[in-house]
Amino acid sequence: MEAFEDENPFESEPERLQSDSSSSRLNIADEPSPAPAQPMPSLSPPTSPSRRNAFPSPGSHRQPQTFKSDFCCARDQWLHSGEDVEILITDAVKTSVNSTSPYITYVIEAGTARAQHRYSEFESLRNNLVKLYPTLIIPPIPSKQTIGDYAIKQAKAKEDAAMIARRKRMLQTFLNRIARHPILSNEHVFHRFLDGEVSWAEVLHSPPISLLPKNILKAPSHNPTDQSVALAYAALPNPSAAHPLRRPDQRFLDSEVFTNKFAAHLSGPMEKVTRRTMKRWSDLAQDHAELGATLNGFSLNESGQLSVAVEKTGQAIDATYMSTTKLLQEFEQNWAEPLHEYTQFASIIKKLLQYRHQKHVQYEMTQEGLEARREQLGELEKSEREARRLEEALNQGRTSTIRASTSERTSAEGDAEGEEAQSEPGLSHRQEESVYLPPHPGPNPVKRRAPGMGLLSALSYTLHGMMDVDPETARRNSITKNKETISQLEDALHLAAQDLKYSSSTIQADLDRFQRQKVADLREMAISMARSHRDWCKKNLEAWEEAKAEIAKIPDHPNRLPDDATNGAGRRESMAGPADPQ
């Protein structure tokens, strides 16, 4: 296939900005879900709506939104109001609504709307967005708990406060990334997730999610819910991700190499160093906490200015412990978590490039199948032409033979009539001679058959009856079937070419958008780290300057000469020079 044209769907509104459910809207106010039961006490302190997280940088990588006048719902209008809106997860509560066991739900505030969803529903939202938009980079959600966490914490694993706080932050980032995406922000499924008026189970059983195919490779890339072309896509092959390409696109080969290097660097050195750094900061903070408590206790055994100075030193160490703890929290939120998120982004981009690779393989396999069918049809048509020429030649030979035999029969009949007239006197004599017949030889002798030949003959007769032994009919049927298959493959090849072109341009455009987002986020991560260290240094400097002032008030040791006297004696010794040993 020729070089693909760059059709950037982020510059001009694509064919499917909204899902099919936007055109056939459901009035979500008609059938509200039952009011949730009284939730259990909150597991984490509520977040103030006015507080803004430092990560991700709000709007730094956001594309200019196209003008929209047709909104599918109130959430759509709020998201595209032109203001810098932000979705907040304000709380995490424990509840047991519609379940026999308690679970954690996260409270979402999007403007005036309020919704509660559990982690599995966030996961379901992301999985369905991946199916609805197979050519876009769908943001990740926080990873699930490992088996080791469940083994260590057992029943308390789902109620781990640190894990819940981390999920709150990363799920909020996930929602805001979708809200700032130029295409995903128009999806009505996302709007209904934020609204909270309809249960998520109802959303899953309504269009467009209910129209998604089982195999996303056998559906249009721009609109996988389109049912009108399902039969045409059924003729496409289902390639594996490991199938090689005959004519790969160099752009995406380079993207794959870069993504592998990016993933290896993030998941390897950077995450290891980050984990080691956090562990050492944590150990340092714990050591300062113990040292500060020890010095504060020691100051009680002393008196006077020494006691005050020791106590102030203990307080400075306590301040270092508290500032280090805060630095560690900010380091985790503004560096470690975004770093892990970008490790997940690398895996997502790999899968995206894999989908595009499979679409390219699908196109090449369809092209090869079409060429093979056309070659097979050519051979069959060639055989058909040869058979017709042979039949025409045989018909011509049969016609000339019939004409010659007819003329010979006519001349022979004329000659026979003449002879008959001449030989009438001897006719009676010949008739008398012809009256004599030879004796009958008797019945034909019975032919002896080899043992078992009767069964083989019966099987052969049955098989000949079951099979079409007419080669002409079989050949013509094969020609008809090949023509039908070629017609289907031509339609399928056209669809595969369209999908490959759309996938290539859309994935490339979203990769460009992701690169701009990555630069903005890494810049914000670096600035946040610098700001955190600056604040840590400021607080520690203030605490230790106060401690230094109190330490300076401690009187000198009684056996120690004053500084002035010590300096004067030293000058006198240097002027006198060395003593005479004699």
Side-chain angles (χ1 to χ4, degrees), residues 471-509:
E472 295 182 2
T473 306
R475 184 171 58 250
R476 287 167 187 167
N477 289 339
S478 297
I479 290 174
T480 304
K481 290 179 181 178
N482 270 290
K483 286 183 177 179
E484 292 176 357
T485 305
I486 286 173
S487 177
Q488 293 176 356
L489 287 175
E490 286 175 346
D491 294 340
L493 183 65
H494 178 68
L495 294 174
Q498 283 185 336
D499 278 355
L500 181 57
K501 184 178 179 181
Y502 178 84
S503 300
S504 300
S505 60
T506 310
I507 290 174
Q508 186 62 53

Coordinates of all heavy atoms in Angstrom, one line a residue, residues 471-509:
P471 N -16.8 -33.4 -14.4 CA -15.8 -32.3 -14.1 C -16.3 -31.0 -14.6 O -15.9 -29.9 -14.1 CB -14.6 -32.8 -14.9 CG -15.2 -33.8 -16.0 CD -16.4 -34.4 -15.3
E472 N -17.1 -30.9 -15.7 CA -17.5 -29.6 -16.2 C -18.4 -28.9 -15.1 O -18.2 -27.7 -14.9 CB -18.3 -29.8 -17.5 CG -17.4 -30.4 -18.6 CD -18.2 -30.5 -19.9 OE1 -19.5 -30.1 -19.9 OE2 -17.7 -30.9 -20.9
T473 N -19.3 -29.6 -14.5 CA -20.2 -29.0 -13.5 C -19.4 -28.6 -12.3 O -19.6 -27.5 -11.8 CB -21.3 -30.0 -13.1 OG1 -22.0 -30.5 -14.2 CG2 -22.2 -29.4 -12.1
A474 N -18.4 -29.4 -11.9 CA -17.6 -29.1 -10.7 C -16.8 -27.8 -11.0 O -16.6 -26.9 -10.2 CB -16.7 -30.2 -10.3
R475 N -16.2 -27.7 -12.2 CA -15.4 -26.6 -12.6 C -16.3 -25.3 -12.6 O -15.8 -24.3 -12.1 CB -14.8 -26.8 -13.9 CG -13.8 -25.7 -14.4 CD -13.0 -26.1 -15.6 NE -13.9 -26.4 -16.7 CZ -14.0 -27.7 -17.2 NH1 -13.4 -28.7 -16.7 NH2 -14.8 -27.9 -18.3
R476 N -17.4 -25.4 -13.2 CA -18.3 -24.2 -13.2 C -18.8 -23.8 -11.9 O -18.9 -22.6 -11.6 CB -19.5 -24.5 -14.2 CG -19.1 -24.5 -15.6 CD -20.2 -25.1 -16.5 NE -19.7 -25.3 -17.9 CZ -20.3 -26.0 -18.8 NH1 -21.4 -26.6 -18.5 NH2 -19.8 -26.1 -20.0
N477 N -19.0 -24.8 -11.0 CA -19.4 -24.4 -9.6 C -18.2 -23.7 -8.9 O -18.4 -22.7 -8.2 CB -19.8 -25.6 -8.8 CG -21.2 -26.2 -9.3 OD1 -22.0 -25.5 -9.9 ND2 -21.4 -27.5 -9.0
S478 N -17.0 -24.2 -9.1 CA -15.8 -23.6 -8.5 C -15.7 -22.2 -9.0 O -15.3 -21.2 -8.3 CB -14.6 -24.4 -8.8 OG -14.7 -25.7 -8.2
I479 N -15.9 -21.9 -10.3 CA -15.8 -20.6 -10.9 C -16.8 -19.6 -10.2 O -16.4 -18.5 -9.9 CB -16.0 -20.6 -12.4 CG1 -14.8 -21.3 -13.1 CG2 -16.1 -19.2 -13.0 CD1 -14.9 -21.6 -14.6
T480 N -18.0 -20.1 -10.1 CA -19.1 -19.3 -9.4 C -18.7 -18.9 -8.0 O -18.8 -17.8 -7.6 CB -20.4 -20.0 -9.5 OG1 -20.7 -20.3 -10.9 CG2 -21.5 -19.1 -8.9
K481 N -18.2 -20.0 -7.3 CA -17.9 -19.7 -5.9 C -16.7 -18.8 -5.8 O -16.6 -17.9 -4.9 CB -17.6 -21.0 -5.2 CG -18.8 -21.9 -5.0 CD -18.4 -23.2 -4.3 CE -19.6 -24.1 -4.1 NZ -19.2 -25.4 -3.5
N482 N -15.7 -18.9 -6.6 CA -14.5 -18.1 -6.6 C -14.9 -16.6 -6.9 O -14.4 -15.7 -6.3 CB -13.5 -18.5 -7.6 CG -12.5 -19.5 -7.0 OD1 -11.7 -19.1 -6.2 ND2 -12.6 -20.8 -7.4
K483 N -15.8 -16.4 -7.8 CA -16.3 -15.1 -8.2 C -17.0 -14.4 -7.0 O -16.8 -13.2 -6.7 CB -17.2 -15.1 -9.4 CG -16.4 -15.3 -10.7 CD -17.4 -15.3 -11.9 CE -16.6 -15.5 -13.2 NZ -17.5 -15.4 -14.4
E484 N -17.8 -15.2 -6.3 CA -18.5 -14.7 -5.1 C -17.4 -14.3 -4.0 O -17.5 -13.3 -3.4 CB -19.5 -15.7 -4.6 CG -20.7 -15.9 -5.5 CD -21.6 -17.0 -5.0 OE1 -21.2 -17.6 -3.9 OE2 -22.6 -17.3 -5.6
T485 N -16.5 -15.2 -3.8 CA -15.5 -15.0 -2.8 C -14.6 -13.8 -3.1 O -14.3 -13.0 -2.2 CB -14.6 -16.2 -2.6 OG1 -15.4 -17.4 -2.3 CG2 -13.5 -16.0 -1.5
I486 N -14.3 -13.6 -4.4 CA -13.5 -12.5 -4.8 C -14.2 -11.2 -4.6 O -13.7 -10.2 -4.2 CB -13.1 -12.7 -6.3 CG1 -12.0 -13.7 -6.4 CG2 -12.6 -11.3 -6.9 CD1 -11.6 -14.1 -7.9
S487 N -15.5 -11.2 -4.9 CA -16.3 -10.0 -4.6 C -16.3 -9.6 -3.1 O -16.2 -8.5 -2.8 CB -17.8 -10.3 -5.1 OG -18.6 -9.1 -4.8
Q488 N -16.5 -10.7 -2.3 CA -16.4 -10.4 -0.8 C -15.1 -9.9 -0.4 O -15.0 -9.0 0.4 CB -16.8 -11.7 -0.1 CG -18.2 -12.1 -0.2 CD -18.5 -13.5 0.5 OE1 -17.6 -14.1 1.0 NE2 -19.7 -13.9 0.4
L489 N -14.0 -10.5 -0.9 CA -12.7 -10.1 -0.5 C -12.3 -8.7 -1.0 O -11.6 -7.9 -0.4 CB -11.6 -11.1 -1.1 CG -11.6 -12.4 -0.4 CD1 -10.6 -13.4 -1.1 CD2 -11.2 -12.3 1.1
E490 N -12.9 -8.3 -2.2 CA -12.7 -6.9 -2.7 C -13.3 -5.9 -1.8 O -12.7 -4.9 -1.4 CB -13.2 -6.8 -4.1 CG -12.4 -7.5 -5.2 CD -13.0 -7.4 -6.5 OE1 -14.2 -7.1 -6.6 OE2 -12.3 -7.7 -7.5
D491 N -14.5 -6.2 -1.3 CA -15.2 -5.3 -0.3 C -14.4 -5.3 1.0 O -14.2 -4.3 1.6 CB -16.6 -5.8 -0.1 CG -17.5 -5.7 -1.3 OD1 -17.1 -4.9 -2.2 OD2 -18.5 -6.4 -1.4
A492 N -13.9 -6.5 1.4 CA -13.2 -6.6 2.7 C -11.9 -5.8 2.5 O -11.4 -5.2 3.5 CB -13.0 -8.0 3.1
L493 N -11.2 -5.9 1.4 CA -9.9 -5.2 1.2 C -10.1 -3.7 1.2 O -9.3 -3.0 1.8 CB -9.3 -5.7 -0.1 CG -7.9 -5.1 -0.5 CD1 -6.9 -5.6 0.5 CD2 -7.5 -5.4 -1.9
H494 N -11.2 -3.3 0.7 CA -11.5 -1.8 0.7 C -11.7 -1.4 2.1 O -11.2 -0.3 2.5 CB -12.8 -1.5 -0.1 CG -13.2 -0.1 -0.1 ND1 -12.5 0.9 -0.7 CD2 -14.3 0.5 0.4 CE1 -13.1 2.1 -0.5 NE2 -14.2 1.8 0.2
L495 N -12.4 -2.1 2.9 CA -12.7 -1.8 4.3 C -11.4 -1.8 5.1 O -11.1 -1.0 6.0 CB -13.7 -2.7 5.0 CG -15.1 -2.6 4.4 CD1 -16.0 -3.7 5.0 CD2 -15.7 -1.3 4.7
A496 N -10.5 -2.9 4.8 CA -9.3 -3.0 5.6 C -8.3 -1.8 5.2 O -7.6 -1.3 6.1 CB -8.6 -4.3 5.2
A497 N -8.3 -1.4 3.9 CA -7.5 -0.3 3.6 C -8.0 1.0 4.3 O -7.2 1.8 4.7 CB -7.6 -0.1 2.0
Q498 N -9.3 1.2 4.3 CA -9.8 2.4 5.1 C -9.5 2.3 6.5 O -9.1 3.4 7.1 CB -11.4 2.4 4.9 CG -11.8 2.9 3.6 CD -13.4 3.0 3.5 OE1 -14.1 2.4 4.3 NE2 -13.9 3.9 2.6
D499 N -9.6 1.2 7.2 CA -9.3 1.0 8.6 C -7.8 1.3 8.8 O -7.4 2.0 9.8 CB -9.6 -0.4 9.1 CG -11.1 -0.5 9.4 OD1 -11.8 0.5 9.4 OD2 -11.5 -1.7 9.7
L500 N -6.9 0.8 7.9 CA -5.5 1.0 8.1 C -5.1 2.5 8.0 O -4.3 3.0 8.7 CB -4.7 0.1 7.1 CG -3.2 0.2 7.1 CD1 -2.7 -0.2 8.5 CD2 -2.6 -0.7 6.1
K501 N -5.7 3.1 7.0 CA -5.5 4.5 6.8 C -5.9 5.4 8.0 O -5.2 6.2 8.5 CB -6.2 5.0 5.5 CG -5.9 6.4 5.1 CD -6.6 6.8 3.8 CE -6.3 8.2 3.4 NZ -7.0 8.6 2.1
Y502 N -7.2 5.1 8.5 CA -7.7 5.8 9.6 C -6.9 5.5 10.9 O -6.6 6.4 11.6 CB -9.2 5.4 9.8 CG -9.8 6.1 11.0 CD1 -10.3 7.4 10.9 CD2 -9.8 5.4 12.3 CE1 -10.9 8.0 12.0 CE2 -10.4 6.1 13.4 CZ -10.9 7.3 13.2 OH -11.5 7.9 14.3
S503 N -6.6 4.2 11.1 CA -5.8 3.9 12.3 C -4.4 4.5 12.3 O -4.0 5.1 13.3 CB -5.6 2.3 12.3 OG -6.9 1.7 12.4
S504 N -3.8 4.5 11.1 CA -2.4 5.1 11.1 C -2.5 6.6 11.4 O -1.7 7.1 12.2 CB -1.8 4.9 9.7 OG -1.7 3.5 9.4
S505 N -3.4 7.3 10.7 CA -3.5 8.8 10.9 C -3.9 9.1 12.4 O -3.3 10.0 13.0 CB -4.4 9.4 9.9 OG -5.7 8.9 10.0
T506 N -4.9 8.4 12.9 CA -5.4 8.7 14.2 C -4.4 8.4 15.3 O -4.2 9.2 16.2 CB -6.7 8.0 14.5 OG1 -7.6 8.2 13.4 CG2 -7.4 8.4 15.8
I507 N -3.7 7.2 15.2 CA -2.7 6.8 16.2 C -1.6 7.8 16.2 O -1.0 8.2 17.2 CB -2.3 5.4 15.9 CG1 -3.4 4.4 16.3 CG2 -1.0 5.1 16.8 CD1 -3.1 3.0 15.9
Q508 N -1.1 8.2 15.0 CA 0.0 9.1 14.9 C -0.4 10.5 15.5 O 0.4 11.1 16.2 CB 0.4 9.3 13.4 CG 1.6 10.2 13.2 CD 2.8 9.6 13.8 OE1 3.2 8.4 13.6 NE2 3.5 10.4 14.7
A509 N -1.6 10.9 15.2 CA -2.1 12.2 15.8 C -2.1 12.1 17.3 O -1.7 13.1 18.0 CB -3.4 12.6 15.2

